[in-house]
Amino acid sequence: DVVCVQSSDPSGVGYVETANLDGETNLKAKRACAVPGVKSGVSNDPSAVTLERSLTGASIECESPNNQLYKFEGKWRGLVTDTGADLGVSVDNVLLRGSTLRNTGWIVGVVVFTGGDTKLMRNSVRSPRKVSTLERQMNALVLCIGALQLGVSLLCAALHRRWYLNEQTSSIRHWYLQPSGVWPDVDGAGATDYLTQLVRFLVLLNALVPISLYVTLELVKVMQCGWIGLDKSMYDPVNDVKCGVRTTALNEELGQVGCVLSDKTGTLTQNVMAFVKCSVGGRVYSADDGIDGAVHPGFVDLNLRDGESGVLLDGSSEGCAAAKTHTLAKSSALRAAASARDANVVAFLRHLATCHTVVPAVDEAQNNSSDESTAVDDGSSGAVFGGLRYQASSPDEEALVTGAALLGRRLLSNAAGEITCETHPPDGSTDHLVTGGRGNGGDERGAHVGLERCEVLAVNEFTSARKRMSVVVRDVHTGVCTLLLKGADNAVLERLAETDGSGEEIATVKSHLDEFAREGLRTLVLAQREVPKHELSAWLEAYDEAQAALVDREDALAEIAERIERNCVLVGATAVEDKLQDGVPETIETLRRAGCLVWMLTGDKLETAVSIANTCRLIDADGELAIVQESDFVSQGDTGGKINPYFLRDKSREAVEDAKRGCKFGLVIEGGALQHALSTDESQAQFLALCRASSGVVCCRVSPIQKARVTTLMKKRGGFVTMGVGDGANDVGMIKAAHIGVGISGREGRAAVLASDYSVGQFRFLANLLLVHGRWSAKRNREVVLYAFYKNFVYAMANVWFGCVSAMSAQPVFTTAAIATFNVLWTSLPTVAFACFDQDVSPATSLAHPELYRETSRYSNPRFLLDAFVWLVSASWHSMWCLFACLAILGDPEASTSDGKQWDLFTIGIAIFTAAVIACDLKVAVRTNHWTAFNAIAVFGSIAAWFPFVHALSDAWASFGVFASVAGVSDALFPEPRFWLAISVSVVGSIIPDAVAEITKRFLAPKDWHLLRERECIERTRRDRLVTRNGPLLPTHHTSELTVSFDDGDEKNGVKAEKSAAHEGRSSWSSCCVESKQAMRDRRKSRNPSYLDALARARMMEEIEPDWEVTNAELDEDEEL
């Protein structure tokens, strides 16, 4: 971290970009300390000798290292200003590690913090480790399987001990089973022998816990992340942003989201601020409808670059990007008032052009272009206006300054403590001039364009606590000192002077502000006052002392600002519109239909938040609105204004009772009230009950830490899988606190994207991310986990069943080569293909029927354990059936090889293993819904590859001297019909029950996706038949949909479909080929490649699967459908 003392800019200013620190891409101005004897500028090259001489005996005394990016308190020791005061060092003088120098040749500075003491490293926190619900369920299942393994081993060891005791007293003894005396052979029934047998079974059954599951699951998740990133339906062509995946651990968690907590500005809205209305002199100005170009010629002729084309707009263009965005500039009444030099309007425009932190920078793309009419924008942030690019840390300030420029007051420079503005006639007569004289002005500029300069004496910066900012300026020409104040209405209106008529004026502005808020506009109130010189000089002395403070500088500056921000005169109010993004209302409605709670957490005022919530359908329009404010928590009367501890309890009880009666209402709570609601565990429980009873929740006027606390409350106490969605640095806490964090690539930098787990370009892409990819991943990955335990149970439990006929001797049935390759070669590819390609329904169906999402979002831990139990019972049956079927057929005394010898243990073990491999692979085939070439190759290729492996394994002894136990096994098994009979009986007996159970379940208790998948199959069959007969036909929208009733309380059946839906669907088919000539023309088109390409693109753009027209005759022929 460096304190700047010299810059290449003559005014000592250096511009930095802090995207690596806070995600902000707008340039920030850093100023060199006014060190005596050190001058900035290009002509003053940095000299170490000069700097050393000037800084001899000087030192910097500053705060201890901390993580506050926007705060620095320090001062120079040994250096004094011209007034004799200590030279202070503020955050405006410090360039932090991680910043990037822009539009500045060089800077020279003094290093104050290095290494781990820098603010960048102090803000480097370890990202929280996020674990999906499926992984926690899987870990619990592993513990259960471990306990089962121990229990089975204890039981088997006890049964072996009992057999051994019976062997000692039995009249018929197995004399050929003499112990070898070599450990771990058991030769007794003592405690040592019991523990030895226990260890042997533990080792034999260690495969019950599938270690390969973690590798397979991670591989599957990586491939699923690839599908998410490649999904074109989530690509944002406007910003050239595709869906980004920054983690592979939460794919299945996307399918279980129960609560979406979203920011408003830049997330639900576009964060493209449009200056649309203002209140000046008790009147509201807005854009005129149908403006007459003959009366006001050329007003939209502005030297502003079109953001899409990158070309300067000519004088007749009405497509000026700024004029289209900031529609207030089209107000003929406001322009007329500005032309007539109305005092209120002039003060209003001067305030907009002066009270801000906007830094205009030269647009190099325009200046370096020989032909200005063909200059191309470089893509940097900020509006390009009159050859300057306005760089603002806030889009609101950029909108206000640009709007003032459109109305004839253009900001020219803001550097070296001076603000320079050009005044132009608002009638558009000088709109062709380039700001600052770099254009074709000539003598014409002098007649119509003027300059206004003011000296900036002090800046009281905006903070979340103050909710306002102010500047103290001195007019260079008149010498008048003025305080310019702007901020939130509640922070500015209370600082207005009480004069005659001020009450009526304030009431009028308040009514205008309420009107703006109801329209969803962001509002600011402007005020000013002239400061006497004697008051200003005393105040500046206190201001300089506060600037040099080393402790609590921010509080000291706030206190100093409070002294001068008083007795102001109202100037006006601004209304900036932040439009909703495309598809936001539809997306929120879709998510709510999917069973997700959607909450909005914003720092905007209550009226604005409610208006946006109603517009985006977050709150039911037909429901009531419950508003909770901080004043509700304060008791009146006898308690003397103390906190009322019973308000939230009573409110929550009332809400729960209303919800039981079927009443719908939305909850709106302010930040002050939220502070009380989150104060104690009891209040948190009551607040959570209140939120559960409401249909939608809006938290307004909340701070970033409150966003994180609400998210944590829903995460830990609400029992929901939460998703935090935001686009700015103030949303990082919420994004990190949620189970899943999603960053929106917006105008507020990349801080939210860098802290997120997933990133998208628009809020509407969340529907695809959750309802399609999230649901698929949840179902697929759950199958992967259950299948991994299933297949290991199949071959591991065979050893237990074999113990029933081998005196529980812990003798393995399979050879080590088969065991080592079971998971890697023979059963892994089918499950990987399944997890990557399986689809129960198409993406269009998932989006058209968001209720399908409830199947995965409401999947509980008990349900998972129940499904795991069913899978393991099935695995136990498969292993037992395969073992005993092969033993019965191949182990019969009359069964023998071609040379008359009976098959040995490992030969029969290979047969059992073959049946287990085929049964496991076909298990995947039975559960596959969407077949692709990869699925077919993975399933049947794995089965086919097993037999050459057995042949190579049987020849390994002769070729390499290994695997003697299975030498010649292929020659002994493959030619024998009994072997193939054993395999057929084993596989059929294993798979048929599963297939019958699956079919029965679909007939007797079909789920929602079963019905919709059946509809897809019927439509696809009809379409294929029509294509075969008549060639490709143009798609037409299906006007009749399958009627499905989703019952939240019926978790068992999921959904119920009306039986008449299929018959109603048939009646919707209409004729497509009225004349044979039209049919021939369609067939000619079908042979045209360009037509086919256009048709394919049209089908891809359809949100639902298109239907196909058929003739009445074909309906009669297809009656069996």
Side-chain angles (χ1 to χ4, degrees):
D1 296 339
V2 177
V3 173
C4 182
V5 297
Q6 192 178 16
S7 169
S8 60
D9 187 82
S11 58
V13 176
Y15 299 98
V16 294
E17 180 184 285
T18 59
N20 294 331
L21 295 169
D22 56 9
E24 302 294 342
T25 57
N26 299 299
L27 298 187
K28 297 177 177 60
K30 298 295 182 179
R31 309 182 189 279
C33 295
V35 177
V38 178
K39 296 182 179 181
S40 296
V42 179
S43 60
N44 299 292
D45 293 333
S47 171
V49 177
T50 303
L51 289 173
E52 183 183 12
R53 186 182 305 114
S54 301
L55 299 177
T56 300
S59 62
I60 296 178
E61 183 178 342
C62 64
E63 61 188 7
S64 300
N66 57 69
N67 61 354
Q68 300 184 42
L69 298 176
Y70 309 106
K71 178 183 176 183
F72 187 88
E73 298 175 350
K75 63 180 179 180
W76 289 88
R77 291 290 189 184
L79 295 179
V80 294
T81 62
D82 297 336
T83 60
D86 290 334
L87 182 61
V89 181
S90 68
V91 69
D92 292 333
N93 307 122
V94 180
L95 284 76
L96 300 180
R97 174 184 176 182
S99 302
T100 304
L101 199 64
R102 300 289 189 191
N103 299 338
T104 307
W106 47 265
I107 64 103
V108 177
V110 178
V111 177
V112 288
F113 295 136
T114 62
D117 291 338
T118 59
K119 293 182 181 291
L120 174 66
M121 298 304 297
R122 289 280 174 164
N123 278 277
S124 299
V125 296
R126 180 178 299 177
S127 298
R129 181 178 180 269
K130 297 184 178 182
V131 180
S132 67
T133 303
L134 181 62
E135 289 189 24
R136 290 191 290 268
Q137 293 171 344
M138 184 175 66
N139 294 337
L141 185 57
V142 167
L143 293 178
C144 295
I145 298 300
L148 177 64
Q149 176 185 357
L150 178 61
V152 172
S153 300
L154 290 171
L155 177 62
C156 292
L159 293 176
H160 177 268
R161 181 175 181 274
R162 180 179 179 182
W163 177 90
Y164 191 89
L165 294 176
N166 292 337
E167 181 75 7
Q168 300 298 324
T169 59
S170 176
S171 58
I172 303 176
R173 304 182 61 184
H174 299 79
W175 53 269
Y176 53 87
L177 297 179
Q178 293 298 326
S180 63
V182 178
W183 193 89
D185 277 357
V186 177
D187 56 357
T192 303
D193 300 305
Y194 178 80
L195 292 177
T196 300
Q197 194 69 2
L198 173 63
V199 172
R200 293 183 63 181
F201 270 106
L202 287 175
V203 174
L204 186 65
L205 299 179
N206 66 348
L208 289 178
V209 179
I211 305 301
S212 63
L213 168 61
Y214 295 90
V215 179
T216 303
L217 192 60
E218 190 64 27
L219 175 63
V220 163
K221 289 183 178 181
V222 170
M223 299 185 70
Q224 290 172 351
C225 291
W227 295 140
I228 295 175
L230 295 174
D231 189 352
K232 293 183 179 180
S233 64
M234 292 193 292
Y235 171 72
D236 181 17
V238 177
N239 299 315
D240 190 23
V241 174
K242 64 180 182 179
C243 182
V245 182
R246 303 176 59 84
T247 180
T248 61
L250 302 174
N251 293 352
E252 62 274 8
E253 199 79 341
L254 290 171
Q256 295 187 289
V257 174
C259 182
V260 178
L261 302 106
S262 173
D263 180 37
K264 182 185 75 68
T265 304
T267 303
L268 301 178
T269 60
Q270 297 179 8
N271 201 16
V272 178
M273 304 302 176
F275 194 5
V276 294
K277 288 187 178 183
C278 68
S279 172
V280 182
R283 177 176 178 178
V284 174
Y285 294 96
S286 60
D288 295 336
D289 296 330
I291 187 170
D292 190 353
V295 178
H296 305 286
F299 177 72
V300 295
D301 170 20
L302 298 171
N303 189 15
L304 185 68
R305 200 180 314 280
D306 190 334
E308 296 182 359
S309 65
V311 178
L312 288 174
L313 301 168
D314 57 21
S316 61
S317 173
E318 293 186 1
C320 175
K324 285 184 177 180
T325 302
H326 309 293
T327 58
L328 179 65
K330 297 181 181 180
S331 172
S332 59
L334 183 59
R335 291 189 301 170
S339 299
R341 305 291 297 175
D342 182 273
N344 293 327
V345 174
V346 171
F348 178 76
L349 296 179
R350 183 182 292 116
H351 196 296
L352 293 180
T354 307
C355 183
H356 54 74
T357 58
V358 176
V359 178
V362 177
D363 182 29
E364 299 294 341
Q366 178 173 343
N367 292 339
N368 295 336
S369 177
S370 58
D371 184 4
E372 292 184 357
S373 64
T374 59
V376 179
D377 196 353
D378 62 358
S380 302
S381 60
V384 179
F385 189 86
L388 296 177
R389 184 181 296 275
Y390 290 152
Q391 298 282 355
S393 59
S394 168
D396 298 77
E397 285 197 334
E398 178 187 317
L400 297 179
V401 172
T402 306
L406 290 169
L407 291 168
R409 194 167 296 268
R410 304 182 185 179
L411 176 65
L412 179 60
S413 68
N414 183 10
E418 185 177 272
I419 293 179
T420 304
C421 297
E422 280 188 353
T423 58
H424 292 250
D427 58 0
S429 60
T430 59
D431 288 340
H432 60 286
L433 299 179
V434 178
T435 302
R438 290 183 300 278
N440 52 345
D443 296 336
E444 182 183 3
R445 177 176 297 277
H448 299 281
V449 178
L451 288 179
E452 289 186 357
R453 292 187 176 90
C454 61
E455 181 184 358
V456 180
L457 303 179
V459 177
N460 299 314
E461 297 182 354
F462 176 88
T463 64
S464 57
R466 283 168 38 81
K467 298 180 182 180
R468 63 190 184 277
M469 73 159 291
S470 63
V471 296
V472 181
V473 297
R474 177 189 291 120
D475 192 291
V476 175
H477 300 290
T478 63
V480 176
C481 298
T482 308
L483 169 74
L484 303 177
L485 173 66
K486 73 176 179 181
D489 53 353
N490 56 354
V492 176
L493 293 179
E494 64 184 13
R495 287 166 174 79
L496 298 181
E498 296 182 0
T499 60
D500 295 337
S502 62
E504 182 179 353
E505 184 181 9
I506 293 175
T508 302
V509 171
K510 284 184 177 181
S511 64
H512 293 167
L513 291 172
D514 292 339
E515 177 185 349
F516 296 158
R518 284 191 294 269
E519 297 177 12
L521 305 179
R522 300 160 62 93
T523 59
L524 288 174
V525 177
L526 313 183
Q528 67 180 20
R529 83 178 181 99
E530 184 177 332
V531 184
K533 292 184 178 180
H534 66 278
E535 178 186 351
L536 180 62
S537 58
W539 183 85
L540 287 177
E541 291 181 2
Y543 178 79
D544 292 336
E545 292 179 1
Q547 284 276 33
L550 291 179
V551 180
D552 296 332
R553 175 184 294 176
E554 184 175 339
D555 296 337
L557 288 174
E559 182 181 354
I560 294 299
E562 192 75 26
R563 299 179 186 177
I564 198 171
E565 294 173 347
R566 57 184 178 83
N567 297 329
C568 297
V569 177
L570 183 65
V571 175
T574 63
V576 176
E577 181 182 20
D578 192 4
K579 297 182 179 179
L580 284 178
Q581 296 180 9
D582 295 337
V584 167
E586 294 78 8
T587 301
I588 291 180
E589 183 179 6
T590 299
L591 294 178
R592 295 183 65 185
R593 287 177 56 193
C596 297
L597 301 177
V598 183
W599 293 8
M600 184 172 71
L601 312 179
T602 178
D604 279 345
K605 61 185 302 183
L606 186 145
E607 292 81 2
T608 304
V610 171
S611 175
I612 294 296
N614 285 320
T615 304
C616 65
R617 304 177 193 172
L618 191 143
I619 296 178
D620 294 328
D622 56 345
E624 298 181 355
L625 203 61
I627 300 177
V628 180
Q629 297 176 310
E630 186 176 11
S631 58
D632 297 331
F633 285 85
V634 180
S635 301
Q636 303 296 332
D638 298 338
T639 58
K642 296 182 179 179
I643 300 301
N644 181 8
Y646 306 109
F647 166 75
L648 198 58
R649 182 197 63 184
D650 299 337
K651 191 73 173 178
S652 61
R653 289 179 179 177
E654 179 184 352
V656 171
E657 293 177 358
D658 291 342
K660 290 181 179 179
R661 291 195 296 265
C663 299
K664 291 185 178 180
F665 67 93
L667 174 65
V668 181
I669 182 169
E670 286 189 324
L674 190 61
Q675 190 72 22
H676 295 291
L678 301 177
S679 58
T680 63
D681 292 341
E682 182 181 1
S683 63
Q684 289 180 6
Q686 295 167 353
F687 171 65
L688 192 58
L690 178 60
C691 293
R692 287 179 180 272
S694 61
S695 59
V697 178
V698 176
C699 300
C700 59
R701 295 293 195 187
V702 295
S703 62
I705 190 63
Q706 286 179 323
K707 292 183 179 182
R709 293 186 63 187
V710 171
T711 305
T712 303
L713 174 65
M714 295 299 296
K715 177 181 177 180
K716 294 185 176 180
R717 304 192 61 172
F720 294 98
V721 174
T722 57
M723 170 181 282
V725 187
D727 71 315
N730 60 327
D731 302 318
V732 170
M734 175 179 65
I735 289 174
K736 288 187 175 181
H739 288 94
I740 305 172
V742 177
I744 305 293
S745 300
R747 299 189 66 201
E748 295 189 19
R750 292 183 54 83
V753 173
L754 296 177
S756 65
D757 304 304
Y758 300 88
S759 62
V760 293
Q762 298 285 336
F763 182 85
R764 58 188 171 92
F765 297 143
L766 290 183
N768 284 76
L769 185 63
L770 296 181
L771 305 186
V772 179
H773 293 283
R775 181 175 174 274
W776 280 351
S777 298
K779 298 192 67 173
R780 293 169 177 176
N781 294 357
R782 185 168 66 243
E783 294 271 328
V784 169
V785 172
L786 296 177
Y787 178 77
F789 285 96
Y790 158 83
K791 61 188 178 66
N792 277 39
F793 252 72
V794 169
Y795 90 86
M797 289 299 293
N799 295 311
V800 177
W801 307 131
F802 182 70
C804 297
V805 295
S806 64
M808 291 296 172
S809 58
Q811 168 64 41
V813 183
F814 311 124
T815 182
T816 55
I819 296 175
T821 58
F822 179 77
N823 286 314
V824 178
L825 299 179
W826 319 124
T827 57
S828 61
L829 289 181
T831 184
V832 170
F834 174 89
C836 293
F837 300 103
D838 189 62
Q839 302 177 13
D840 54 352
V841 293
S842 65
T845 302
S846 296
L847 295 175
H849 301 278
E851 293 85 356
L852 293 171
Y853 187 75
R854 301 181 184 182
E855 178 188 0
T856 56
S857 64
R858 299 182 179 181
Y859 192 82
S860 60
N861 294 337
R863 176 67 182 277
F864 176 79
L865 295 178
L866 178 61
D867 288 347
F869 175 77
V870 173
W871 275 77
L872 297 183
V873 169
S874 175
S876 301
W877 162 253
H878 290 178
S879 63
M880 183 172 62
W881 176 260
C882 290
L883 175 79
F884 289 111
C886 290
L887 286 179
I889 297 175
L890 301 179
D892 188 80
E894 297 180 359
S896 61
T897 61
S898 57
D899 57 0
K901 297 180 180 178
Q902 285 193 336
W903 285 299
D904 59 11
L905 172 62
F906 288 107
T907 302
I908 298 179
I910 289 294
I912 301 172
F913 198 85
T914 303
V917 168
I918 298 175
C920 290
D921 290 343
L922 292 183
K923 177 79 170 181
V924 178
V926 169
R927 301 188 67 85
T928 299
N929 299 298
H930 182 74
W931 281 92
T932 65
F934 298 101
N935 294 86
I937 293 174
V939 173
F940 301 107
S942 298
I943 295 175
W946 163 252
F947 295 97
F949 177 79
V950 174
H951 183 75
L953 190 65
S954 64
D955 293 340
W957 171 252
S959 302
F960 306 104
V962 294
F963 303 124
S965 59
V966 290
V969 66
S970 62
D971 297 333
L973 289 177
F974 292 167
E976 292 297 325
R978 280 178 175 265
F979 167 73
W980 299 106
L981 176 63
I983 298 300
S984 301
V985 172
S986 300
V987 172
V988 170
S990 301
I991 298 302
I992 290 298
D994 287 355
V996 171
E998 186 70 20
I999 295 173
T1000 303
K1001 182 172 62 175
R1002 295 197 179 194
F1003 271 95
L1004 299 182
K1007 294 184 178 181
D1008 45 5
W1009 64 270
H1010 290 150
L1011 303 175
L1012 295 173
R1013 178 173 175 80
E1014 183 179 353
R1015 174 190 172 185
E1016 289 181 358
C1017 294
I1018 293 175
E1019 293 179 353
R1020 187 162 47 247
T1021 302
R1022 287 185 172 181
R1023 181 183 61 196
D1024 294 342
R1025 289 194 178 188
L1026 294 176
V1027 170
T1028 303
R1029 295 177 182 179
N1030 300 327
L1033 302 177
L1034 286 173
T1036 60
H1037 285 294
H1038 196 352
T1039 58
S1040 175
E1041 295 185 357
L1042 178 65
T1043 303
V1044 182
S1045 173
F1046 294 91
D1047 187 358
D1048 294 349
D1050 192 356
E1051 296 291 343
K1052 181 177 181 180
N1053 296 327
V1055 295
K1056 300 176 181 179
E1058 295 184 3
K1059 296 182 179 180
S1060 60
H1063 300 286
E1064 294 175 1
R1066 292 183 185 178
S1067 63
S1068 65
W1069 300 98
S1070 60
S1071 173
C1072 73
C1073 299
V1074 180
E1075 300 177 359
S1076 59
K1077 186 176 180 179
Q1078 178 67 31
M1080 292 175 61
R1081 184 159 57 249
D1082 289 341
R1083 281 192 285 273
R1084 284 198 301 270
K1085 288 182 179 180
S1086 68
R1087 293 190 291 270
N1088 186 352
S1090 62
Y1091 170 78
L1092 293 178
D1093 293 340
L1095 183 60
R1097 289 193 297 270
R1099 292 174 186 169
M1100 291 177 62
M1101 293 175 62
E1102 293 293 328
E1103 294 184 357
I1104 60 174
E1105 190 73 19
D1107 287 332
W1108 298 81
E1109 296 178 339
V1110 297
T1111 62
N1112 293 330
E1114 289 166 341
L1115 274 179
D1116 296 336
E1117 296 174 2
D1118 295 340
E1119 191 62 31
E1120 67 274 7
L1121 293 179

